């Protein structure tokens, strides 16, 4: 329980230490309690997934698989704890870009919970929220939005759960991606107010929503409001995760875009390079997180007229896809478009055509 608390409030090193200690205690119990061990393994896996740490294939997948096997051995297949393990395994496969396998496991978990706990249980809402992104990736954004609104309706029956802020924020993300910036901002603001009231102004969700809201305001040209929200979100993220985590790098990227829009190229480049260093754009290219940071730096270098450097940082990740991350995703497509635009500006339009087609 302490590990889970620190996972949401920081510092993450305390979350890791307590979660690992809990596994060790459960492993050494005599006689062994398989359900207790499954719970500890699940908590340790959740730490790695939430904090984006560890080797997913070598470390995290065995934790999740073992917890699922223990629960299936002791419990009925319809038990909510089995559904929890199925869903967590699905989430792990999502992060590995094994989207169809992920969707199959998550759907099974939702159906199981609806039968065992009822269609309006908060856990059903939580799992519907998790499945919406997969529906969008697999080409059904309408179903994804329906899952989100159903999730919101469930959470509003249980305001003490405090998760409707997360789902409103996700609908805001969807509106943002669709180009409906006004509706997106309204949803972000509603989600932020809910998060601050139900969880607290310094919570993880508030940091993420402030970052998203500030990024949208940057696109709208409302730079003063954007700066206030982005700096507030960064302050929370540094307090929760430290200055050098991937979560905090997301805030550096959004602030880099703000400074780029404000024509402060030096500060924009400094922030983008810091994000690239954290996300491994040079040392570990070709991952989703490094793709986002590389695009931020590429945009800055392009504006500064340093085309060769911009092409190098964008191409590195596109040419070095990581094992398990081969599946196309929207971040790869975005980087391809930025790279193709750059090549056109460099006067080699014919070379850009196949890149646009791939995107």
């Amino acid at each position: 329980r302490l590990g889970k608390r620190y996972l949401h409030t920081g510092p993450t090193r305390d979350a890791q230490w307590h979660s690992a200690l809990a596994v060790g205690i459960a492993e050494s119990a005599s006689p062994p309690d398989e359900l207790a061990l499954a719970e500890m393994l699940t908590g340790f896996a959740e730490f790695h997934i939430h904090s984006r740490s560890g080797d997913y294939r070598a470390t995290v997948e065995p934790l999740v698989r073992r917890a699922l096997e223990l629960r299936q051995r002791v419990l009925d297949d319809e038990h909510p704890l089995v559904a929890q393990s199925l869903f967590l395994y699905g989430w792990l496969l999502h992060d590995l870009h094994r989207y169809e396998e992920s969707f199959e496991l998550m759907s099974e978990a939702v159906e199981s919970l609806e039968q065992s706990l009822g269609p309006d249980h908060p856990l059903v809402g939580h799992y519907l929220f998790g499945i919406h992104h997969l529906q969008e990736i697999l080409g059904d954004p309408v179903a994804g939005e329906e899952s989100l609104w159903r999730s919101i309706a469930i959470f509003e029956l249980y305001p003490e759960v405090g998760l409707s802020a997360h789902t409103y924020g996700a609908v805001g993300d969807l509106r943002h991606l669709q180009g409906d910036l006004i509706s997106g901002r309204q949803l972000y603001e509603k989600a932020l107010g809910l998060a601050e009231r139900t969880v607290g102004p310094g919570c993880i969700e508030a940091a993420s929503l402030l970052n998203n809201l500030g990024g949208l305001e940057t696109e709208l040209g409302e730079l003063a409001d954007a700066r206030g929200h982005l700096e507030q979100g960064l302050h929370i993220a540094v307090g929760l995760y430290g200055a050098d985590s991937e979560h905090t790098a997301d805030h550096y990227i959004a602030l880099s875009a703000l400074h780029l829009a404000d024509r402060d190229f030096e500060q924009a480049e400094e922030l983008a390079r810091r994000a690239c260093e954290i996300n491994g754009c040079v040392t570990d290219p070709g991952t989703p997180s490094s793709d986002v940071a590389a695009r931020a730096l590429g945009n800055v270098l392009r504006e500064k007229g340093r085309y060769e450097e911009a092409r190098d940082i964008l191409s590195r990740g596109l040419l070095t896809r990581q094992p398990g991350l081969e599946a196309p995703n929207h971040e790869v497509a975005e980087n391809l478009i930025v790279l193709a635009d750059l090549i056109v500006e460099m006067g080699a339009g014919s070379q850009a055509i196949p890149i646009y087609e791939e995107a």
Side-chain angles (χ1 to χ4, degrees), residues 101-121:
E101 297 172 77
S102 172
F103 184 73
E104 183 178 343
L105 287 176
M106 287 188 174
S107 298
E108 184 179 348
V110 171
E111 291 173 7
S112 176
L113 280 183
E114 287 177 327
Q115 293 177 7
S116 61
L117 300 179
D120 294 329
H121 192 277

Side-chain angles (χ1 to χ4, degrees), residues 45-46 48-50 55-65 68 84-109 130-131 133-134 137-138 288 322-329:
E46 286 175 340
H48 285 295
I49 293 171
H50 189 83
D55 183 329
Y56 272 24
R57 288 184 180 279
T59 303
V60 187
E61 189 169 1
L63 293 173
V64 176
R65 186 170 55 247
L68 174 60
Q84 181 196 37
S85 287
L86 286 170
F87 186 83
L88 186 63
Y89 207 161
W91 193 261
L92 173 69
L93 294 177
H94 164 275
D95 285 354
L96 289 170
H97 287 209
R98 290 157 59 182
Y99 296 129
E100 292 183 354
E101 297 172 77
S102 172
F103 184 73
E104 183 178 343
L105 287 176
M106 287 188 174
S107 298
E108 184 179 348
I131 210 171
H133 182 56
L134 277 168
I137 289 174
L138 294 172
Q322 291 283 351
L325 297 177
E326 300 89 348
N329 62 72

Side-chain angles (χ1 to χ4, degrees), residues 156-167:
E156 287 182 337
L157 298 173
Y158 305 91
E160 70 279 4
V161 174
L163 288 175
S164 58
H166 202 36
T167 44

Side-chain angles (χ1 to χ4, degrees), residues 20 23 80 183 209 257 291 320:
V23 172
S183 177
L209 288 164
D291 283 343
T320 315

Side-chain angles (χ1 to χ4, degrees), residues 9 19-20 45 58 88 123 128 143 151 205 228 239 297 302 308 313 326 328:
T9 64
S19 297
L88 186 63
L123 273 177
L128 285 169
S151 177
E205 191 59 38
L297 181 56
R302 175 183 170 190
E308 293 293 341
I313 194 68
E326 300 89 348

Side-chain angles (χ1 to χ4, degrees), residues 74-89:
V74 177
L75 303 169
D76 294 332
D77 288 342
E78 295 78 19
H79 196 283
L81 288 176
V82 175
Q84 181 196 37
S85 287
L86 286 170
F87 186 83
L88 186 63
Y89 207 161

Side-chain angles (χ1 to χ4, degrees), residues 26 34 70 86 124 191 206 215 233-234 238 248 255 266 269 277 298 304 306 340-341 344 353:
E34 292 185 323
L70 287 169
L86 286 170
V124 174
L234 174 63
V238 170
T248 307
L255 275 166
E266 297 308 314
E269 182 177 349
E277 182 179 350
K304 296 179 78 171
R306 290 155 58 185
D341 289 345
V344 169
I353 293 173

Side-chain angles (χ1 to χ4, degrees), residues 14-288:
D14 288 350
Q16 181 178 17
W17 188 86
H18 283 89
S19 297
L21 179 61
V23 172
I25 293 171
E27 288 270 25
S28 62
S30 182
D33 184 331
E34 292 185 323
L35 288 181
L37 177 57
E39 183 177 353
M40 303 311 120
L41 292 167
T42 298
F44 198 27
E46 286 175 340
F47 159 76
H48 285 295
I49 293 171
H50 189 83
S51 62
R52 308 177 193 173
S53 64
D55 183 329
Y56 272 24
R57 288 184 180 279
T59 303
V60 187
E61 189 169 1
L63 293 173
V64 176
R65 186 170 55 247
R66 187 178 176 199
L68 174 60
E69 291 169 351
L70 287 169
R71 285 173 169 173
Q72 287 177 325
R73 186 160 65 226
V74 177
L75 303 169
D76 294 332
D77 288 342
E78 295 78 19
H79 196 283
L81 288 176
V82 175
Q84 181 196 37
S85 287
L86 286 170
F87 186 83
L88 186 63
Y89 207 161
W91 193 261
L92 173 69
L93 294 177
H94 164 275
D95 285 354
L96 289 170
H97 287 209
R98 290 157 59 182
Y99 296 129
E100 292 183 354
E101 297 172 77
S102 172
F103 184 73
E104 183 178 343
L105 287 176
M106 287 188 174
S107 298
E108 184 179 348
V110 171
E111 291 173 7
S112 176
L113 280 183
E114 287 177 327
Q115 293 177 7
S116 61
L117 300 179
D120 294 329
H121 192 277
L123 273 177
V124 174
H126 178 69
Y127 287 8
L128 285 169
F129 172 80
I131 210 171
H132 89 274
H133 182 56
L134 277 168
Q135 290 170 313
E136 295 168 20
I137 289 174
L138 294 172
D140 196 350
V142 173
E145 187 166 355
E146 288 174 354
S147 294
L148 277 176
W149 284 115
R150 188 177 163 205
S151 177
I152 288 172
I154 293 171
F155 287 135
E156 287 182 337
L157 298 173
Y158 305 91
E160 70 279 4
V161 174
L163 288 175
S164 58
H166 202 36
T167 44
Y168 275 117
V171 180
D173 290 341
L174 186 59
R175 292 284 187 265
H176 189 179
L177 288 171
Q178 292 171 338
D180 187 350
L181 301 187
I182 301 304
S183 177
R185 177 168 60 183
Q186 291 170 345
L187 287 160
Y188 284 151
E189 289 172 343
K190 180 168 185 175
L192 179 60
L194 282 168
E196 291 178 336
R197 287 196 303 273
T198 57
V199 185
C203 67
I204 288 171
E205 191 59 38
S208 176
L209 288 164
L210 285 163
N211 204 46
N212 292 346
L213 177 58
L216 185 149
E217 288 167 335
T218 297
E219 293 181 44
L220 287 169
E222 299 173 2
L223 302 188
D225 289 340
R227 185 185 301 274
H229 288 133
L230 292 174
E231 289 180 350
Q232 185 182 355
L234 174 63
H235 177 75
I236 295 171
V238 170
L240 291 172
Y241 301 112
D244 298 319
S245 78
E246 283 194 13
H247 286 282
T248 307
D250 293 341
H251 295 262
Y252 297 142
I253 290 166
L255 275 166
S256 174
L258 168 71
H259 286 286
L260 184 61
D262 205 24
R263 317 303 289 176
D264 183 355
F265 296 141
E266 297 308 314
Q267 186 65 22
E269 182 177 349
E270 180 181 337
L271 287 162
R273 286 195 181 279
R274 188 166 187 186
C276 281
E277 182 179 350
I278 293 169
N279 289 355
C281 294
V282 175
T283 59
D284 193 30
T287 66

